[in-house]
Amino acid sequence: MSDPLPWVVGVSGASGTPYARAVLNGLIDAGEAVELIVSRAARLTLLDETGISFRDNSWRADLSGWLRRDIDPERVRYWTANDLAAGPASGSYPARGMVVVPASTAAVAGIALGLSKDLLQRAADVTLKEGRPLVVVPRETPYTRGTLQRMLELNDAGAVVLPASPAFYAGAGSVQQLVDFVAAKVLDVLGVPHSLITRWSGQLGALRADQREGFDR
Ligand SMILES: Cc1cc2nc3c(=O)[nH]c(=O)nc-3n(C[C@H](O)[C@H](O)[C@H](O)COP(=O)(O)O)c2cc1C
C-alpha cells in the first residue's frame, strides 16, 4: 500500500460494531487506506450484533457482507489479532494513526497500561509511541473508577478519548443517524472529510418559528 498512508482501525469486543462499520465506510468513502484488526472478542460482538461470523481465512467476504460493499484489497488490508509480527506491530510500518472503535474496557486498560496483549493493543501502543493520532471510542456504562483512570491516562498520553455518546440534537431521528454522529466525530478528529451529519448551524432546528418567538437564548 503506498499513498496515502493507511489508518489502522482496531475493532475490539465492546458492543457497538455499527460504530466501527460507519467509521470504516467513512474512511473508505473518503478514499483512505485502511489496515483492519478485529480482536477475538470482537468476533463475538460482530456475531451477536450482525449475525456475521468473521473469520481470518474469509475476511474479505465477511467484511464485504458487514460493510455491504465490495472490498478493494489495494485499499483495505486485514491483520489477524494474534499476529504480533504484523506490519502495524512496528513503528517503522507506515501509518497515519489509529482508531479503536468500539473500545472495550479491556482494550482501554490494555492500551493505557501498554500491555500489548494482542496486535490491536500493540498497534495502539505503537501509535502512541510514534506520536501519531490515536482515537479511542469506549463503550461501556457505567464506568468503573479504574476505567475512568485509564481513560485519563490515555488522554495524558496524547490519545483522544471519544466515548460512543451520540447526541440527539439537530433532528436525529434514526439509530443510523445516532451511529453516524459518533463516526462523524471520529472522522473529524482524524481530519477526514465526510457528509455523515448535518452540522450544527446555531439554530434550534426542532422548534418552529412561532415556537422560537420570545425564546430567551
Ligand atoms: C455480546 C458482548 C457484548 C459486550 N459488550 C461490551 C461492552 O459494551 N463494553 C465492554 O467493555 N465489554 C463488552 N464485552 C466484554 C468484552 O468483549 C471482553 O471484556 C473482552 O475481553 C474484550 O476483549 P478485547 O478488548 O480484546 O476485544 C462484551 C462481550 C460480549 C460477548
Side-chain angles (χ1 to χ4, degrees):
M1 227 176 262
S2 53
D3 205 31
L5 292 182
W7 294 102
V8 181
V9 177
V11 182
S12 72
S15 178
T17 55
Y19 297 121
R21 179 176 179 270
V23 168
L24 285 164
N25 276 331
L27 289 171
I28 293 168
D29 284 344
E32 303 286 333
V34 168
E35 309 265 337
L36 177 65
I37 305 164
V38 179
S39 81
R40 294 192 64 76
R43 293 162 195 248
L44 296 179
T45 48
L46 258 173
L47 183 62
D48 187 63
E49 295 178 355
T50 70
I52 290 171
S53 298
F54 199 94
R55 298 200 168 90
D56 290 340
N57 57 10
S58 58
W59 73 267
R60 202 171 147 202
D62 299 339
L63 184 62
S64 175
W66 181 29
L67 303 187
R68 291 181 219 135
R69 65 192 306 156
D70 290 335
I71 300 301
D72 177 356
E74 294 293 314
R75 312 297 300 160
V76 180
R77 184 174 287 175
Y78 172 74
W79 302 95
T80 59
N82 61 2
D83 183 3
L84 288 166
S90 170
S92 65
Y93 189 79
R96 289 173 76 180
M98 180 170 179
V99 184
V100 182
V101 57
S104 69
T105 55
V108 166
I111 298 165
L113 297 173
L115 294 183
S116 296
K117 68 112 182 165
D118 63 6
L119 178 61
L120 187 153
Q121 291 187 14
R122 170 63 186 165
D125 201 47
V126 164
T127 304
L128 285 177
K129 87 180 173 72
E130 297 299 326
R132 298 171 186 153
L134 172 66
V135 181
V136 177
V137 185
R139 207 311 316 170
E140 188 49 276
T141 196
Y143 290 125
T144 64
R145 180 180 169 79
T147 299
L148 290 166
Q149 283 176 325
R150 301 292 92 78
M151 290 199 286
L152 184 59
E153 287 162 11
L154 283 177
N155 178 81
D156 290 346
V160 173
V161 179
L162 196 157
S165 302
F168 292 78
Y169 57 66
S174 68
V175 171
Q176 189 59 50
Q177 282 174 305
L178 298 173
V179 168
D180 286 347
F181 179 90
V182 173
K185 299 295 272 191
V186 171
L187 297 173
D188 281 354
V189 171
L190 303 182
V192 172
H194 63 86
S195 54
L196 285 174
I197 52 164
T198 307
R199 293 188 185 276
W200 180 247
S201 65
Q203 300 295 319
L204 288 167
L207 295 183
R208 295 193 313 267
D210 60 320
Q211 289 174 312
R212 235 175 275 154
E213 219 165 273
F215 199 87
D216 187 3
R217 293 177 70 184

